[in-house]
Amino acid sequence: MPTALDRWRHEPSPSPLDAFLAPHIRSIFEEAYYARINRQAELSRVLADPDFLARPGQHVALFADHGVAHVRDVAQQVLHVLDAAHGVLIPARSPDRLAWMRSLGVILAYAHDIGMADTGRHGRAMHAEYAVQAALGPEFDDIIARLRSHDAGGLTARLSPYPEAVLRELLAMAMCHSKSKVPVGLLNDPPRLRQVLLAAATTDLAFLHGLQQRKSSRPPVAPCDLPDSGSAATGGAGHRSRIATTRLATAYRDFLRDGFAWLEPSDGAGRDLVDDVLDTVRVLRCADALRQRGTALKTSGNNEIFVDQHSANAIFALRLGGERLYLLEISDPISAGEANLSSSELDRDGNLRIAFHHGMFRDGDTIAYAARSAALVVNDIYADTLGSFARPAHDADPDLSRRVASVEVLLESVDDNPAFAGLVRDTLRDLNAEAAGKVRIVPSLQAATPQERTRYLAGAPIEWSREHRQTLLERLAQVGHRTDGIDVVEAFRDVRQIRLAAGEVLVEAGVASGFVYIPEAHGLHGQPLGGYEPFTVNAWTPVGVTGVVRGATRNATIVARAPLTLIAIPKDVYLRLWHRTYDTAAFAALFPAAS
């Protein structure tokens, strides 16, 4: 009989994760925890839960996916975010240290949501702390043994000067993916963070949950909250975790003295280790927040989630067996905001870029509701991404502090309602003035193909002098494009320079028109639809104008026959700031000899 994991057997082999965590170790996590999360969220199972039918929007089964596809996605996001953040949001490292952080980040990604497999009353609420007790206890014995014998990314080699327990303690740092349990202030204060980890390891999770509830859902961070051998600060031995009196008592002479002691180092190598671990945790928090969305957004039960274009609510496509499909609409702002997000990512400059599916709904009130829903989710993503890289005011690296302070939240405009991104920004101002102050509205890329979008985002912003920009406009005028009135500052904002290799397709016939391109050299060859003759494109002649202006698909496939650079102008930037036409008199004036 097929297992729940069979649904995800399409993972490419070899996987890009293989270099950092051996496949058989990843399979242990996937089989033991994440496939179980998927099984438990299937509709056929949750229909037996009265809580699901009474409050489906509050049930974990309808939350965004926390299963196999999710953990693989987050692990790969860790690698992307670490590359994007390196030298921008975190200090630059040597190649060896950076490689080690990649390995740590991948296994922390695999450990971060294992507690979601616990469907008990406190399971989801305490899933972050669960990772601590699992990593330090017998539950991880096989994983630890395999990590030591199959050190794919050099994770364990660096730890040779440390006690064996430190490897487990590093895996327990997966708890720190939760911003509610580990606010960024704790990442900036390792001694206090250590106290939280000690409490999570030694306290019964149900009892700890009660403590947190009484403390307004904040984790216990004061030393007096810690259980120790001489007092009953947490209420006595009955409130100790199972591993506190078994595994920890035998693995450590004194766990409260020695556990997570590396977080308070006394030498340079120790400080480097702490910095690398904590910055990897920052990356994990960011990667978890940037999980796949848009058309890939599903629940753990493999049910699609999407936004209703009429009501702006989230719709869940619930499948029962292979025959029945139920469309369940939930009026919940967080679900609605999640469903309307088409993408979120860190760009090459460390900026947070967010895009939406729709901005136009049935009436003004519904549009305002959609904007509030989107703002709630943007605020959450901001806290987990850019917020995770916040440093204390006394940070020793002022250049890093300036870079972190200068990054932006880029909200893409939405094709069906260009005003929507501005409404989201204005609503965000009431939730988080700091985040709203970083918002910049950028052009929509909805019409771009995935390849064009990736190429544009990897391109270089135009940072030319005024004279250089003016020269480009003069060259455009020479090939016929009307350029009078084009602002050499505003028109080049959000325009990028891209590179094509020989044989690379620039645009393809039949796809949406998302950009106008200006080639800086000869080398483009086009094949139009309709049986017309092939053509070549001369340098400085705009490409793709007709499709963008008429809002149609491309009518030709254009390929580079030689390497060249081009100027890429997003559709709405072109239409607002570059699109100029000649009237009859202006056109005739171009040819005075003929008249």
Side-chain angles (χ1 to χ4, degrees):
M1 178 176 292
T3 69
L5 195 59
D6 289 338
R7 188 183 301 157
W8 295 275
R9 293 295 188 193
H10 63 273
E11 184 188 29
S13 181
S15 164
L17 299 175
D18 290 350
F20 308 103
L21 185 61
H24 62 89
I25 300 177
R26 289 190 286 114
S27 292
I28 293 174
F29 282 102
E30 292 179 3
E31 294 277 6
Y33 300 105
Y34 295 99
R36 183 148 56 105
I37 293 171
N38 291 126
R39 288 193 299 270
Q40 292 167 350
E42 291 174 354
L43 184 60
S44 58
R45 294 196 177 207
V46 299
L47 284 175
D49 184 350
D51 286 344
F52 174 75
L53 292 176
R55 294 175 296 277
Q58 310 302 314
H59 198 279
V60 67
L62 294 194
F63 292 174
D65 184 25
H66 287 83
V68 175
H70 169 70
V71 73
R72 290 176 181 173
D73 174 54
V74 172
Q76 296 199 48
Q77 283 285 356
V78 163
L79 303 179
H80 168 75
V81 171
L82 188 53
D83 286 341
H86 184 239
V88 180
L89 298 173
I90 61 174
R93 260 72 170 196
S94 68
D96 287 347
R97 287 176 66 183
L98 190 63
W100 186 86
M101 293 170 69
R102 289 191 178 101
S103 295
L104 177 62
V106 169
I107 194 163
L108 287 180
Y110 264 83
H112 84 286
D113 268 345
I114 60 172
M116 294 291 285
D118 179 0
T119 59
R121 195 156 59 99
H122 306 299
R124 178 182 177 273
M126 302 305 293
H127 81 281
E129 292 89 345
Y130 181 95
V132 177
Q133 297 191 12
L136 298 180
E139 196 170 324
F140 266 38
D141 283 355
D142 186 31
I143 290 170
I144 295 297
R146 290 172 183 259
L147 279 173
R148 293 193 185 283
S149 60
H150 297 84
D151 190 11
L155 181 66
T156 62
R158 182 179 179 181
L159 302 179
S160 58
Y162 294 88
E164 290 188 4
V166 170
L167 176 58
R168 290 179 179 269
E169 292 174 4
L170 291 188
L171 270 58
M173 295 295 289
M175 172 184 172
C176 301
H177 81 278
S178 169
K179 73 175 187 290
S180 62
K181 300 302 179 72
V182 183
V184 70
L186 286 178
L187 295 184
N188 293 328
D189 191 346
R192 288 180 62 225
L193 174 59
R194 183 185 176 205
Q195 300 305 303
V196 171
L197 291 162
L198 292 173
T202 53
T203 312
D204 176 76
L205 294 185
F207 182 74
L208 190 55
H209 181 252
L211 283 179
Q212 293 175 5
Q213 293 292 96
R214 292 196 292 274
K215 291 175 178 288
S216 302
S217 299
R218 304 296 281 179
V221 296
C224 66
D225 287 334
L226 293 171
D228 59 40
S229 58
S231 71
T234 58
H239 297 306
R240 297 181 190 279
S241 66
R242 290 182 182 178
I243 64 167
T245 54
T246 55
R247 178 58 63 92
L248 301 183
T250 58
Y252 297 81
R253 290 186 176 180
D254 184 336
F255 179 68
L256 295 184
R257 182 193 67 194
D258 300 331
F260 297 95
W262 55 271
L263 278 167
E264 301 185 59
S266 59
D267 58 29
R271 284 188 287 274
D272 285 347
L273 178 68
V274 172
D275 289 344
D276 290 354
V277 172
L278 293 182
D279 278 349
T280 302
V281 166
R282 298 177 198 274
V283 167
L284 171 66
R285 290 157 71 106
C286 184
D288 191 29
L290 298 179
R291 59 185 176 270
Q292 58 190 6
R293 303 179 189 275
T295 54
L297 182 61
K298 293 187 178 183
T299 69
S300 297
N302 203 37
N303 298 302
E304 294 177 72
I305 314 172
F306 50 96
V307 68
D308 188 285
Q309 294 184 56
H310 185 66
S311 67
N313 284 326
I315 295 178
F316 296 80
L318 304 179
R319 300 182 182 276
L320 186 60
E323 305 84 27
R324 284 181 275 180
L325 172 65
Y326 304 93
L327 297 184
L328 174 65
E329 183 171 345
I330 301 287
S331 181
D332 172 68
I334 293 293
S335 298
E338 283 269 358
N340 198 25
L341 273 182
S342 64
S343 66
S344 56
E345 61 198 300
L346 279 192
D347 72 9
R348 52 182 285 168
D349 298 314
N351 300 313
L352 173 61
R353 189 179 190 99
I354 294 176
F356 309 99
H357 286 294
H358 297 291
M360 181 58 69
F361 299 92
R362 65 185 170 201
D363 53 36
D365 288 343
T366 310
I367 292 171
Y369 166 71
R372 287 194 301 274
S373 301
L376 286 170
V377 176
V378 169
N379 188 47
D380 272 353
I381 295 174
Y382 172 83
D384 276 353
T385 55
L386 300 185
S388 291
F389 295 101
R391 307 277 172 164
H394 56 77
D395 191 281
D397 187 346
D399 290 338
L400 178 67
S401 296
R402 277 195 297 273
R403 289 195 298 271
V404 172
S406 67
V407 295
E408 298 178 298
V409 179
L410 307 178
L411 297 187
E412 285 190 19
S413 183
V414 190
D415 286 351
D416 64 4
N417 183 2
F420 184 72
L423 291 174
V424 175
R425 175 197 56 204
D426 295 344
T427 307
L428 180 62
R429 191 171 290 119
D430 294 332
L431 297 172
N432 187 336
E434 175 189 300
K438 291 181 174 291
V439 168
R440 180 163 68 88
I441 310 300
V442 295
S444 166
L445 301 182
Q446 283 184 290
T449 65
Q451 182 185 39
E452 286 183 282
R453 189 177 192 276
T454 299
R455 195 159 50 203
Y456 167 79
L457 292 178
I462 300 297
E463 296 176 345
W464 298 345
S465 66
R466 176 179 286 269
E467 292 74 18
H468 193 169
R469 299 178 190 206
Q470 191 61 51
T471 298
L472 171 62
L473 296 182
E474 291 169 2
R475 286 171 170 161
L476 286 180
Q478 291 169 5
V479 299
H481 192 286
R482 187 167 190 174
T483 60
D484 54 296
I486 294 181
D487 188 315
V488 295
V489 175
E490 288 300 315
F492 285 84
R493 200 183 305 278
D494 298 309
V495 171
R496 300 196 174 193
Q497 187 179 52
I498 65 169
R499 297 182 181 276
L500 282 187
E504 193 171 351
V505 176
L506 176 65
V507 298
E508 190 168 351
V511 304
S513 301
F515 291 92
V516 169
Y517 297 102
I518 303 172
E520 297 184 73
H522 301 300
L524 293 179
H525 177 81
Q527 178 62 59
L529 296 174
Y532 293 96
E533 291 294 316
F535 60 90
T536 58
V537 180
N538 292 324
W540 312 111
T541 302
V543 174
V545 171
T546 56
V548 163
V549 172
R550 70 186 172 198
T553 57
R554 303 291 193 188
N555 61 6
T557 295
I558 300 178
V559 179
R561 287 191 164 173
L564 76 160
T565 59
L566 305 94
I567 308 303
I569 309 172
K571 177 185 66 175
D572 62 350
V573 173
Y574 181 84
L575 293 174
R576 285 188 296 109
L577 300 171
W578 292 74
H579 181 45
R580 300 286 189 276
T581 58
Y582 294 104
D583 57 22
T584 302
F587 181 72
L590 296 174
F591 308 96
S595 60

